[in-house]
Amino acid sequence: MKKIIVFLMGICACILLSSDVLQAATPRVMLSDYKIKEGEVEAGKDFHLEITMQNTAKAAVKNIKVAVSTDGGEFIPAEGAGTAYCEQIAAESEETFSFHMEATSALEEKSYKILVKTVYESTGGWEYNAEDAIFIPIKFEQKIKVTDISCTNEVQLGDSVEITASINNLGLGTVHNVTAQIIGDNLMETDNFVGNIETGKNGMADLLTQATKVTGEGDGQLNQLIITYEDKEGNVYTEQKNLNIVVKKPEYKNLEKIKEESHASDVVKRGLKWLIPVLVIVGIIYLLRQRSKRKQQLLEEFAADLKE
């Protein structure tokens, strides 16, 4: 009986030992890195996903197959079936797998999960499975178009100039903090805050500036309308439009008119300057005469009373 017990204990020990050895010898393949070749993924656009798998074991693995998929079909293979194959990964080495994918156009501006499933074999022919997950953020294309620019093509020095334009959001996401600005050599710099513009909608820029310098001969596009806007992350984008505005010298007849009006104004001012003292003097004379008449009347009444 004792020999049987010892024999059974020896068998158990061998089983446990062999289990530990097998577990220690199990090859481990895991996802170590990934990147988007284009830098970012935009909704409705293709992208190339590169996944790096690492064999952490001290023995090679073979017949490695990597498959990528999503639960809701947010990303679909643009080429092939979303799988990649490698014959072997050496011990403690890495291998990179590339997938040509497409992001569907209905995605929101957030991160989506991609499942990475790996099947591989040990050198002894045993099959193993591994599963990892990565998260891909979706970016919306930022695109605006500036249309219907309205302004006077020819103005005179000192004139006020109003410039309007329509800012159309042609991208898939809202553009934020839209600002219109006028810069240049012939116009006074000014800006106008438009605000946020949702996808498919437009905003209006309305700027009032002034002609500050006469356009020289041979001068090109010296003035610009600059539209600045931001995406959800605060990245800044700009759109520039040249303004074909020519600033001329004031016309001579207008200068003569201004001089005449200025001269007439000076005459009126001088007239008012002398008119006020004259009116004061006339008022004083009138009061004195009225006072003298009243005094004469009182004397006559007093004389009449004495006669009686």
Side-chain angles (χ1 to χ4, degrees), residues 109-169:
E109 200 168 11
K110 64 178 185 180
S111 294
Y112 290 89
K113 182 172 70 174
I114 292 182
L115 299 175
V116 182
K117 295 182 179 180
T118 308
V119 179
Y120 56 97
E121 296 177 4
S122 66
T123 53
W126 295 93
E127 186 175 281
Y128 300 91
N129 294 275
E131 186 171 309
D132 298 279
I134 59 178
F135 291 87
I136 305 296
I138 287 295
K139 292 274 293 182
F140 280 163
E141 180 185 13
Q142 305 296 318
K143 184 179 180 181
I144 67 167
K145 187 175 183 180
V146 182
T147 60
D148 301 327
I149 300 176
S150 175
C151 61
T152 305
N153 292 331
E154 291 188 2
V155 296
Q156 294 184 16
L157 183 66
D159 284 353
S160 295
V161 183
E162 184 177 16
I163 301 169
T164 61
S166 177
I167 305 170
N168 307 279
N169 182 3

Side-chain angles (χ1 to χ4, degrees), residues 28 51 91 96 101 110 138 156 202 229 267 296:
R28 303 289 184 186
I51 293 177
T96 299
M101 307 291 291
K110 64 178 185 180
I138 287 295
Q156 294 184 16
N202 70 295
Y229 57 99
V267 171
Q296 183 64 32

Side-chain angles (χ1 to χ4, degrees), residues 45-57:
K45 299 288 186 68
D46 289 7
F47 65 97
H48 291 82
L49 172 64
E50 295 182 349
I51 293 177
T52 301
M53 305 301 296
Q54 182 181 24
N55 176 15
T56 62

Side-chain angles (χ1 to χ4, degrees), residues 8-179:
L8 292 175
M9 290 179 63
I11 293 175
C12 291
C14 290
I15 293 173
L16 291 173
L17 181 60
S18 62
S19 176
D20 290 341
V21 171
L22 288 173
Q23 185 174 3
T26 299
R28 303 289 184 186
V29 176
M30 59 184 293
L31 188 150
S32 61
D33 192 20
Y34 71 93
K35 70 176 182 178
I36 305 300
K37 192 174 181 179
E38 290 78 7
E40 58 186 27
V41 178
E42 295 183 2
K45 299 288 186 68
D46 289 7
F47 65 97
H48 291 82
L49 172 64
E50 295 182 349
I51 293 177
T52 301
M53 305 301 296
Q54 182 181 24
N55 176 15
T56 62
K58 297 186 181 297
V61 294
K62 61 181 182 178
N63 296 329
I64 305 96
K65 185 175 75 172
V66 180
V68 294
S69 62
T70 56
D71 292 334
E74 294 87 1
F75 305 109
I76 58 177
E79 292 180 359
T83 59
Y85 175 80
C86 175
E87 185 176 349
Q88 178 176 294
I89 301 178
E92 299 180 337
S93 298
E94 294 181 337
E95 186 72 23
T96 299
F97 301 84
S98 182
F99 301 88
H100 187 188
M101 307 291 291
E102 178 186 349
T104 58
S105 58
L107 299 183
E108 299 178 8
E109 200 168 11
K110 64 178 185 180
S111 294
Y112 290 89
K113 182 172 70 174
I114 292 182
L115 299 175
V116 182
K117 295 182 179 180
T118 308
V119 179
Y120 56 97
E121 296 177 4
S122 66
T123 53
W126 295 93
E127 186 175 281
Y128 300 91
N129 294 275
E131 186 171 309
D132 298 279
I134 59 178
F135 291 87
I136 305 296
I138 287 295
K139 292 274 293 182
F140 280 163
E141 180 185 13
Q142 305 296 318
K143 184 179 180 181
I144 67 167
K145 187 175 183 180
V146 182
T147 60
D148 301 327
I149 300 176
S150 175
C151 61
T152 305
N153 292 331
E154 291 188 2
V155 296
Q156 294 184 16
L157 183 66
D159 284 353
S160 295
V161 183
E162 184 177 16
I163 301 169
T164 61
S166 177
I167 305 170
N168 307 279
N169 182 3
L170 305 182
L172 296 177
T174 299
V175 292
H176 302 266
N177 299 325
V178 181
T179 302

